[in-house]
């Protein structure tokens, strides 16, 4: 028993320090991505967004400096007028307009530049796949033993999505999903779960609303959106509104949205018909929703074990994750919701990944476990047929 005491005591001490720190201290910044990350492959376009859904410019910003601005680009712009003036010049923003107008214009200009890069490649590929990571992800920097970089996860994701599907264009979405170092910090106490519920989820909604600007500009007949875990909140807000936003929802003729182990509840789809578009979606829905769930996923079940130590919460506590693990038959509730409120139940597809080879329970939450599951080929077949 003594061998558990010291690690547990250290973890509790670390957690005590954690509990005293404001949530913005756990923000994820991407201001140094240009020098920290290797050049992306030709078929990959990386898009970085802050906690408010503002797009990162192609401009070095020290991450420590961003941390002092609470990880918010608009705060940083206001606190660094000389650097902001350089940025406005770089992106041809009118220097005589007010600061709020300049920030909005800069954000639109950065998004337009990314849209241009995407559209220039459309004629050379067979399809466009957006990848949206989940909670507690950094693109670079120190992460410890029990975490993985979002860039590494996306590399594994791309390997599977490239298999037998022709030439793909991958648009990787990096967002401030917050980060806590160490597995025990995630499992002990309530503070990390409050971080998830009170900070990461609101971030995800703002990012989803901001991401609409980019997606609306993609001149493809069909796009595929893949989200993992808390990335489901980003994807949902991209597709329909739970918070006020004037940004248009995706206008493509076919939008395949694949929610992999979604850290949401069926109630996230209550606003499914709340869209900003001129398309007659209630008569002819351009969305197709694919949900991959797993009732053995310990992360979505919020059940953690280390040796004799066990910590658990309800999937409905600290941010609803019931759909991804089908807690309390949440998948059936989603079906009933689509049947009773929306004319789109034929566009809803559900996949049970609870068991893997030889009927073994799949307890893994990592995205690679899902995309290399034997049933994932069925998901891709459906997405690629239309």
């Amino acid at each position: 028993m003594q061998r558990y005491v010291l690690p547990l005591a250290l973890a509790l001490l670390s957690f005590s320090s954690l509990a005293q720190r404001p949530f913005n201290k756990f923000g994820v910044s991407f201001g140094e991505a240009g020098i920290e990350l290797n050049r992306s492959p030709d078929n990959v376009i990386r898009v970085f967004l802050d906690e408010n859904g503002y797009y990162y410019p192609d401009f070095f910003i020290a991450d420590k400096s961003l941390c002092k601005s609470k990880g918010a680009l608009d705060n940083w712009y206001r606190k660094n007028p000389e650097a902001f003036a350089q940025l406005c010049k770089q992106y041809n923003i009118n220097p005589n307009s007010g600061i709020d107008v300049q920030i909005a214009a800069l954000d639109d200009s950065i998004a337009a530049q990314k849209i241009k890069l995407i559209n220039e490649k459309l004629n050379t590929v067979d399809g466009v796949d957006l990848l949206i990571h989940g909670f507690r992800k950094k693109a670079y920097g120190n992460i410890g033993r029990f975490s993985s970089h979002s860039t590494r996860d996306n590399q594994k994701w791309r390997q599977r999505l490239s298999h037998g599907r022709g030439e793909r264009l991958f648009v990787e979405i990096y967002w401030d999903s917050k980060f806590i170092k160490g597995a025990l910090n995630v499992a002990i106490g309530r503070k990390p779960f409050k971080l998830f519920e009170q900070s990461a989820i609101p971030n995800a909604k703002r990012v989803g609303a901001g991401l609409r600007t980019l997606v609306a500009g993609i001149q493809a007949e069909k796009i595929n959106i893949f989200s993992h875990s808390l990335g489901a909140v980003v994807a949902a807000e991209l597709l329909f509104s739970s918070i006020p936003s004037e940004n248009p929802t995706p206008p493509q003729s076919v939008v395949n949205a694949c929610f992999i182990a979604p850290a949401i509840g069926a109630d996230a789809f209550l606003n499914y018909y709340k869209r900003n578009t001129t398309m007659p979606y209630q008569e002819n829905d351009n969305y197709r929703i694919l949900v991959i769930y797993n009732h053995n996923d310990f992360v979505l079940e919020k059940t953690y074990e280390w040796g004799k130590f066990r910590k658990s919460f309800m999937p409905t506590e600290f941010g609803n994750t019931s759909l991804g693990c089908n807690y309390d038959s949440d998948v059936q509730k989603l079906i009933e919701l689509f049947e009773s409120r929306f004319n789109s139940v034929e566009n809803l597809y559900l996949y049970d990944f609870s068991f893997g080879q030889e009927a073994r329970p799949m307890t893994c939450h990592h995205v690679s476990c899902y995309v290399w599951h034997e049933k994932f080929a069925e998901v891709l077949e459906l997405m690629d047929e239309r």
Side-chain angles (χ1 to χ4, degrees):
M1 178 64 183
Q2 289 184 342
R3 64 193 180 100
Y4 295 106
V5 173
L6 182 58
L8 186 57
L10 290 173
L12 287 169
L13 180 62
S14 174
F15 176 75
S16 177
S17 173
L18 173 76
Q20 299 173 23
R21 299 169 64 189
F23 287 154
N24 61 63
K25 295 292 185 180
F26 302 100
V28 177
S29 299
F30 306 105
E32 300 176 16
I35 61 172
E36 290 287 346
L37 299 180
N38 295 329
R39 183 179 179 275
S40 61
D42 290 340
N43 68 331
V44 175
I45 294 175
R46 292 171 176 154
V47 179
F48 302 91
L49 299 98
D50 79 348
E51 64 172 21
N52 293 315
Y54 284 105
Y55 293 86
Y56 272 81
D58 184 14
F59 188 88
F60 177 84
I61 303 174
D63 287 336
K64 286 185 178 180
S65 179
L66 276 167
C67 185
K68 292 178 181 177
S69 296
K70 300 181 180 180
L73 284 169
D74 58 333
N75 287 344
W76 189 87
Y77 295 153
R78 296 173 195 279
K79 291 182 177 181
N80 297 271
E82 292 184 4
F84 183 61
Q86 285 182 262
L87 266 171
C88 287
K89 185 176 180 180
Q90 177 180 328
Y91 284 90
N92 298 314
I93 306 302
N94 182 359
N96 298 318
S97 55
I99 183 68
D100 291 339
V101 174
Q102 287 178 308
I103 290 174
L106 175 61
D107 197 56
D108 287 342
S109 183
I110 296 168
Q113 191 177 83
K114 293 292 185 181
I115 292 168
K116 184 174 183 290
L117 288 174
I118 294 169
N119 288 335
E120 286 176 346
K121 294 178 178 290
L122 292 181
N123 291 332
T124 64
V125 297
D126 297 301
V128 182
D129 296 332
L130 273 72
L131 310 182
I132 307 174
H133 65 76
F135 178 53
R136 215 173 66 86
K137 291 295 179 181
K138 281 187 174 183
Y140 54 85
N142 187 15
I143 57 173
R145 284 183 58 197
F146 300 102
S147 305
S148 60
H149 286 113
S150 50
T151 43
R152 177 60 176 163
D153 291 351
N154 283 343
Q155 183 182 15
K156 295 178 180 179
W157 213 340
R158 295 196 313 264
Q159 288 174 350
R160 177 63 185 94
L161 296 179
S162 298
H163 187 68
R165 300 177 68 226
E167 295 295 325
R168 313 300 302 177
L169 175 61
F170 295 103
V171 181
E172 297 181 346
I173 308 302
Y174 296 88
W175 61 284
D176 181 1
S177 61
K178 301 299 179 183
F179 181 80
I180 300 175
K181 184 178 178 181
L184 282 177
N185 271 340
V186 177
I188 296 175
R190 295 171 179 260
K191 184 70 172 184
F193 293 95
K194 288 184 178 180
L195 175 68
F196 176 86
E197 178 185 30
Q198 298 175 19
S199 188
I201 290 177
N203 281 13
K205 291 184 177 183
R206 293 190 293 267
V207 168
L211 189 56
R212 292 180 189 174
T213 304
L214 178 88
V215 174
I218 299 176
Q219 297 173 357
E221 285 295 309
K222 180 175 81 170
I223 60 169
N224 297 320
I225 301 167
F226 294 90
S227 66
H228 174 245
S229 193
L230 188 59
V233 176
V234 178
E237 199 64 39
L238 166 62
L239 297 172
F240 45 87
S241 298
S242 70
I243 60 174
S245 175
E246 296 180 357
N247 294 339
T249 46
Q252 289 80 11
S253 299
V254 179
V255 179
N256 287 318
C258 180
F259 292 82
I260 301 172
I264 55 176
D267 57 359
F269 287 86
L270 287 170
N271 297 306
Y272 184 68
Y273 271 177
K274 193 174 181 180
R275 308 180 196 177
N276 188 8
T277 180
T278 58
M279 300 186 70
Y281 57 89
Q282 295 192 34
E283 289 77 36
N284 184 23
D285 197 351
N286 61 318
Y287 295 173
R288 186 158 52 176
I289 306 299
L290 301 90
V291 177
I292 298 174
Y293 63 94
N294 170 13
H295 62 72
N296 293 313
D297 189 316
F298 77 98
V299 172
L300 299 177
E301 288 189 310
K302 299 189 176 87
T303 301
Y304 300 85
E305 296 184 19
W306 275 271
K308 296 182 180 180
F309 174 80
R310 177 184 173 90
K311 187 72 176 181
S312 64
F313 296 102
M314 303 292 285
T316 52
E317 292 183 278
F318 303 108
N320 194 348
T321 59
S322 298
L323 183 60
C325 61
N326 195 25
Y327 172 75
D328 195 24
S329 302
D330 212 44
V331 169
Q332 183 60 37
K333 293 176 185 177
L334 181 64
I335 295 172
E336 292 171 0
L337 179 65
F338 269 68
E339 287 178 338
S340 63
R341 295 188 57 164
F342 312 121
N343 188 31
S344 300
V345 69
E346 70 277 3
N347 285 17
L348 176 65
Y349 298 84
L350 304 163
Y351 299 86
D352 186 353
F353 278 29
S354 299
F355 296 91
Q357 292 183 343
E358 299 178 0
R360 294 176 181 173
M362 191 176 87
T363 58
C364 177
H365 181 67
H366 198 279
V367 66
S368 62
C369 295
Y370 282 88
V371 298
W372 287 105
H373 191 284
E374 58 187 8
K375 288 186 178 180
F376 194 67
E378 300 176 25
V379 177
L380 294 181
E381 183 178 1
L382 177 65
M383 296 177 77
D384 291 342
E385 75 178 15
R386 171 183 169 188

